[in-house]
Amino acid sequence: MSSRLRGIGGTENGAVRTPRINPEDLGDIRVALPPLEEQRRIADFLDAEFARIDGLVNAEQRVLDRLTERRTAGVVAAVSGGEHTGRRASTLAWLESIPESWQEVRVGLMARMGSGHTPSRSHPEWWVDCTIPWITTGEVKQVRDDRLEDLHETREKISEVGLANSAAELHPKGTVFLCRTASAGYSGVMGSDMATSQDFVTWTCGPRLNPYFLLWCLRAMRADLLGRLAMGSTHKTIYVPDLQMLRIPVPPLNEQGKIVDAIRRQNSRIDNLTDKVRRQIELLTERRQALITAAVTGQFDVSTASGRNVTDGVSA
């Protein structure tokens, strides 16, 4: 390799350097050059096979979209008591109807609402011996796909001193949290005692409310939260007064647990199918690249290739 190829895998002052290729090195690259007619055949062959593979990828992507829609619709149906026949019109903006025997209750009447804070960075002594898990917007990526319910790990922690000298609160395990700023609308359940930044609101549920039922209600109403309550054109923010008035459908406590279990079973089935479809797309993408390499390096004769085997190992 030429010494003029710089920055690959190297670091400078602790920072990873972006790989760079000196333009002069590009003039030294040699490639196999078949006759012009053969070049045309290769290009035509690849165009045809790319169209075939791209069609399969597009079909798989449509399946992914339908699975996502089915998952979302299933959650909404579950938390709105879709299996009940005797129903009445809902006063909630995100639901059409609920069972006649259910109530629609403000969350604050069944759970203690809390918030978070950031200890001042101007006091470095408050950021020593940090042991308390501290949820920030960096954790949203863990719950963004709605697969994870319980959050156990946080990127940052705060100290006992920082907690004592700020408005941050230590919330008990099982507390539900909702991001209300940059990544607004995403939610989870604390897997241990944790604190949060000011970007979150929390609900510590009382005896009438299953925290996981509340979690799936929050996830079911995300589109409504963002569409009706979130403010701002670039960075959406849901303001605390709106969240204080948040209402959800409330079945009996034992039914809440059954609904949560049903959601988990449904999502597990759909997530397994989703993972398989995504793997198919990965394989098709890999095959597309492998086909380019094989064709331009003469590993097979494109004039005799039928194309029937270019997607071996990948089901449509």
Side-chain angles (χ1 to χ4, degrees):
M1 180 179 295
S2 169
S3 62
R4 290 173 292 183
L5 184 60
R6 307 294 184 189
I8 295 181
T11 61
E12 184 175 353
N13 297 326
V16 177
R17 293 197 301 266
T18 302
R20 294 180 291 112
I21 299 177
N22 192 308
E24 296 179 11
D25 288 316
L26 296 177
D28 297 334
I29 296 176
R30 296 185 179 185
V31 296
L33 189 64
L36 185 59
E37 186 59 32
E38 180 67 10
Q39 295 177 38
R40 292 195 181 98
R41 285 198 296 269
I42 292 173
D44 291 343
F45 172 81
L46 290 177
D47 284 344
E49 296 309 323
F50 288 173
R52 184 199 306 269
I53 293 174
D54 291 347
L56 290 172
V57 170
N58 290 336
E60 297 284 15
Q61 187 58 56
R62 288 193 295 272
V63 172
L64 280 182
D65 294 341
R66 287 195 294 271
L67 288 171
T68 299
E69 292 169 0
R70 183 185 302 176
R71 193 184 196 274
T72 301
V75 172
V76 173
V79 300
S80 63
E83 295 185 354
H84 289 258
T85 54
R87 307 183 69 80
R88 62 179 174 84
S90 173
T91 63
L92 304 176
W94 54 283
L95 288 181
E96 292 184 1
S97 65
I98 63 170
E100 292 177 349
S101 60
W102 287 20
Q103 297 177 300
E104 294 172 329
V105 181
R106 184 163 62 85
V107 178
L109 296 177
M110 298 180 296
R112 183 181 66 83
M113 190 174 183
S115 61
H117 196 259
T118 300
S120 175
R121 301 281 186 179
S122 64
H123 289 271
E125 68 274 17
W126 294 357
W127 292 89
V128 177
D129 297 327
C130 296
T131 58
I132 300 171
W134 186 53
I135 303 174
T136 67
T137 54
E139 273 64 66
V140 170
K141 65 181 180 181
Q142 296 190 51
V143 297
R144 188 176 290 275
D145 63 1
D146 288 349
R147 292 196 180 193
L148 184 74
E149 291 182 317
D150 296 292
L151 182 72
H152 293 283
E153 298 293 333
T154 61
R155 298 185 309 167
E156 295 188 72
K157 293 181 172 62
I158 59 174
S159 68
E160 295 281 357
V161 176
L163 182 71
N165 286 278
S166 73
E169 303 177 50
L170 184 62
H171 305 285
K173 176 182 177 180
T175 294
V176 180
F177 61 87
L178 173 76
C179 186
R180 64 177 193 84
T181 59
S183 298
Y186 292 96
S187 53
V189 176
M190 295 180 183
S192 62
D193 296 353
M194 294 180 172
T196 78
S197 71
Q198 61 274 18
D199 302 290
F200 294 82
V201 293
T202 63
W203 290 277
T204 303
C205 295
R208 294 178 54 205
L209 183 59
N210 183 318
Y212 297 98
F213 180 78
L214 172 58
L215 172 69
W216 286 109
C217 282
L218 292 173
R219 291 178 173 182
M221 71 170 79
R222 182 184 300 128
D224 178 65
L225 287 174
L226 296 180
R228 188 170 56 87
L229 299 182
M231 302 296 178
S233 56
T234 303
H235 297 292
K236 297 288 187 180
T237 298
I238 306 172
Y239 291 100
V240 172
D242 289 323
L243 292 170
Q244 289 174 330
M245 302 306 296
L246 204 64
R247 294 185 304 138
I248 60 171
V250 182
L253 187 62
N254 65 332
E255 188 172 359
Q256 293 177 34
K258 293 177 181 178
I259 289 171
V260 170
D261 290 340
I263 289 173
R264 289 170 176 168
R265 289 192 300 270
Q266 171 213 259
N267 288 352
S268 178
R269 292 192 297 269
I270 293 177
D271 292 345
N272 286 336
L273 289 172
T274 296
D275 290 341
K276 290 178 181 179
V277 174
R278 285 177 176 163
R279 180 54 182 158
Q280 296 298 313
I281 293 176
E282 290 174 2
L283 290 172
L284 286 165
T285 303
E286 292 170 4
R287 186 56 56 90
R288 193 181 196 276
Q289 184 57 48
L291 196 60
I292 296 173
T293 302
V296 302
T297 57
Q299 295 180 32
F300 61 85
D301 184 358
V302 298
S303 63
T304 59
S306 66
R308 287 193 301 269
N309 299 319
V310 297
T311 56
D312 278 353
V314 180
S315 59

